[in-house]
Amino acid sequence: MSRATAVAVGGSFSTTARRRRELAVPVRCSLSAAGLAAVAPILRDLKMKCDTPLPVLRHVADSMSADMRAGLATNGGSDLKMILSYVDSLPTGNELGLFYALDLGGTNFRVLRVQLGGKEERIIDTEFEQVSIPQELMYGTTEELFDFIVSGLARFVEKESTKFHLAEGSKREIGFTFSFPVKQTSIDSGILIKWTKGFAVSGTAGRDVVVCLNEALVRQGLDIRVSALVNDAVSTLAGAHYWDEDVKVAVILGTGTNACYVESIEAIPKLQGSAYGSGKTIINIEWGAFSTGLPLTEFDREMDNESINPGEQLFEKTISGMYLGEIVRRVLKKMAKASTLFGDSFPEKLSVPFSLRQISFIIEEYILNDWMVIHPCYHETETMTLSTPHLCTMQQDDSGDLDKVGLILSGTLGVKNSSLGARKIVQDICDTIVKRGSRLAGAGIVGILQKVEQDSIGQIFQKRTVVAMDGGLYEHYPQYRHYLKEAVAELLGVEVFKNVFIEHTKDGSGIGAALLAAANSKYFA
C-alpha cells in the first residue's frame, strides 16, 4: 500500500499507527444463560428465513429467466428493464491508439488511460486514478457532481506521460462507464432512469448523462469526445471478451450489483419490426430490481422501508456490498435490546443507520491482513458503522478468542466488553446474511444461463461458457465467492457445471470502457 493510497483513504501511516496503539483491546465478559436464551430464538428465526435450499434457489433462477423474457417482450413487462446497450460488436484486438475511460458507479469514480497496440501488442500500458466523491455531492446538483468529476479527469489528463500518445490525426476519446439505470438511446447517449446506490442528485433523472458530462467538459475547457456510454457490467463483458471469446455473461458484485449478457436480436420481441436487423447485442439486465421469490426477513423490510427507494432494488439490497453490513447491524440491534448479548448497557452506535461513505474494497487486502491498519480511515465520517469489509474480516477470524471480531465490535460499535459466546453469535449472523446473498446471486447467474440455453440448445451448457465477474465484494470476500459457486454447482449439476467457468476479471469495467471507446472511435474504422 503506497503512502498516496494511505492518505487517500484517510490518514498517514504515522497517524494510523498512533490510533492503532490508542485503541484498547476489548475485555471479555461471559454471556449469561439468560442472555443466550433470549438471543437463540432470534438467531433461529433469522437462519430459517434466510435459508436458501435448492428449491428456493431453483425458484429464484426460474423467476429470473421468466422476468428476463417478459422484459424482452415489451418495455415495462417485468421488474427487469432488459435495456439495449447498442454494443453490437465487441472489441476484436485490432484497436490501436490512446483511449480514456471514466468509471462512475459508486462512492468513488475512476479515470483510466490505455495505450492499445493491435493484435500483436494488445494492451501496451495503462494508468488509472481513483477519486472519492464527497457525500454532499451524492445529494447535490447535476452540475456540482459532473464538474467535480471532470475536474478530476482534467487533472489526470494533464499528467499524461510520453509513453502514451494519440494516433496521428486523432483527438482524445473516452468511454463513459455509468453504472446506474439508463435508457440507452445510442452507443453514446442515454437517459438516466433513476439514481441508485444511495445517490439522489437533483436535475439528472430524465436527462442524457452524456450531455451532462459534455456540458461539464465545456465548462472545464477539456477537449475530449465521449464515444461510448456503457455500464460497468457491459464494459466488464467487453473487457473480458477481449481476452476470451467464450465470455457470454458479466456480473458486477460490489457496492451495487448488475448483470448483462450476449443476446440474439431474434430473441428480443420488443425489437421486432425495427431496423435493428439480426445478429447479437449485449443486454443490460439491471438485475438489482429483481424481486420474485426472495427470502426476506423483518430486517430486510425495515431497511427497505427506511431507504431512499422503498420497494425498489430488492435483489441489490439482498446481495450487494452496500447493504450486507446494515442488515447485520439491524439483527444485532434487536438482539442487544432483547438480551445482555453485549453486557448490561445497550451500545448506542447500534442505533446509527449505515453511512453511505463506506470503506472501498480497493484496499480490502489490507483489511484481511491487518484490520487495524484500515480501521482508522473511518474518521472520514462522524459515525462508524458496520460495513461489508468488517463482515469479511469477522467471518474469516479463525483465532481461538475471535480477537478481530472483538476489535471490530469495540472500534466500530463501541462494544467494549464482548464475550467469546457473543463473538461467535456475531460471526454466525455474518455467515447467515452473506451466505444468503451470495447463493441468491448464484441463482441469478443460473437464471441468465438457462434462459440463453433454452433459446439456443447446446450453446451454453454443452460448451465452454465463461461468466466474467468484477467488483470488490466478489474479488475480496472468499466466503462470498465460495457460496456463490456452490449454489451455481448445485443448480446446474456436476456435468453441466464443468462447462461453466466463473472467472474474476480484474478492472474489467475500466479497461472495457476504453476498449469500447476504441471500437466506436470517430477516427478509426
mmCIF file with all atom_site columns, all heavy atoms in Angstrom, residues 61 324 362 522:
data_model
loop_
_atom_site.group_PDB
_atom_site.id
_atom_site.type_symbol
_atom_site.label_atom_id
_atom_site.label_alt_id
_atom_site.label_comp_id
_atom_site.label_asym_id
_atom_site.label_entity_id
_atom_site.label_seq_id
_atom_site.pdbx_PDB_ins_code
_atom_site.Cartn_x
_atom_site.Cartn_y
_atom_site.Cartn_z
_atom_site.occupancy
_atom_site.B_iso_or_equiv
_atom_site.pdbx_formal_charge
_atom_site.auth_seq_id
_atom_site.auth_comp_id
_atom_site.auth_asym_id
_atom_site.auth_atom_id
_atom_site.pdbx_PDB_model_num
ATOM 1  N N   . ALA A 1 61  ? -33.975 -18.833 -9.753  1.00 0.00 ? 61  ALA A N   1
ATOM 2  C CA  . ALA A 1 61  ? -33.387 -18.942 -11.089 1.00 0.00 ? 61  ALA A CA  1
ATOM 3  C C   . ALA A 1 61  ? -34.461 -18.958 -12.171 1.00 0.00 ? 61  ALA A C   1
ATOM 4  O O   . ALA A 1 61  ? -34.358 -18.254 -13.192 1.00 0.00 ? 61  ALA A O   1
ATOM 5  C CB  . ALA A 1 61  ? -32.523 -20.201 -11.182 1.00 0.00 ? 61  ALA A CB  1
ATOM 6  N N   . LEU A 1 324 ? -25.109 -5.401  3.075   1.00 0.00 ? 324 LEU A N   1
ATOM 7  C CA  . LEU A 1 324 ? -24.922 -6.579  3.930   1.00 0.00 ? 324 LEU A CA  1
ATOM 8  C C   . LEU A 1 324 ? -24.605 -6.191  5.373   1.00 0.00 ? 324 LEU A C   1
ATOM 9  O O   . LEU A 1 324 ? -25.155 -6.763  6.321   1.00 0.00 ? 324 LEU A O   1
ATOM 10 C CB  . LEU A 1 324 ? -23.815 -7.473  3.360   1.00 0.00 ? 324 LEU A CB  1
ATOM 11 C CG  . LEU A 1 324 ? -24.079 -8.068  1.969   1.00 0.00 ? 324 LEU A CG  1
ATOM 12 C CD1 . LEU A 1 324 ? -22.870 -8.869  1.505   1.00 0.00 ? 324 LEU A CD1 1
ATOM 13 C CD2 . LEU A 1 324 ? -25.324 -8.949  1.984   1.00 0.00 ? 324 LEU A CD2 1
ATOM 14 N N   . ILE A 1 362 ? -11.268 -1.440  -2.666  1.00 0.00 ? 362 ILE A N   1
ATOM 15 C CA  . ILE A 1 362 ? -9.987  -1.327  -3.353  1.00 0.00 ? 362 ILE A CA  1
ATOM 16 C C   . ILE A 1 362 ? -8.857  -1.698  -2.397  1.00 0.00 ? 362 ILE A C   1
ATOM 17 O O   . ILE A 1 362 ? -7.841  -2.240  -2.805  1.00 0.00 ? 362 ILE A O   1
ATOM 18 C CB  . ILE A 1 362 ? -9.778  0.120   -3.854  1.00 0.00 ? 362 ILE A CB  1
ATOM 19 C CG1 . ILE A 1 362 ? -10.732 0.411   -5.009  1.00 0.00 ? 362 ILE A CG1 1
ATOM 20 C CG2 . ILE A 1 362 ? -8.339  0.359   -4.296  1.00 0.00 ? 362 ILE A CG2 1
ATOM 21 C CD1 . ILE A 1 362 ? -10.473 -0.400  -6.259  1.00 0.00 ? 362 ILE A CD1 1
ATOM 22 N N   . LYS A 1 522 ? -14.326 7.700   -33.592 1.00 0.00 ? 522 LYS A N   1
ATOM 23 C CA  . LYS A 1 522 ? -14.664 8.549   -34.741 1.00 0.00 ? 522 LYS A CA  1
ATOM 24 C C   . LYS A 1 522 ? -13.547 8.522   -35.781 1.00 0.00 ? 522 LYS A C   1
ATOM 25 O O   . LYS A 1 522 ? -13.781 8.790   -36.962 1.00 0.00 ? 522 LYS A O   1
ATOM 26 C CB  . LYS A 1 522 ? -14.895 9.976   -34.235 1.00 0.00 ? 522 LYS A CB  1
ATOM 27 C CG  . LYS A 1 522 ? -15.127 11.014  -35.313 1.00 0.00 ? 522 LYS A CG  1
ATOM 28 C CD  . LYS A 1 522 ? -15.298 12.381  -34.667 1.00 0.00 ? 522 LYS A CD  1
ATOM 29 C CE  . LYS A 1 522 ? -15.484 13.479  -35.712 1.00 0.00 ? 522 LYS A CE  1
ATOM 30 N NZ  . LYS A 1 522 ? -15.627 14.814  -35.079 1.00 0.00 ? 522 LYS A NZ  1
#
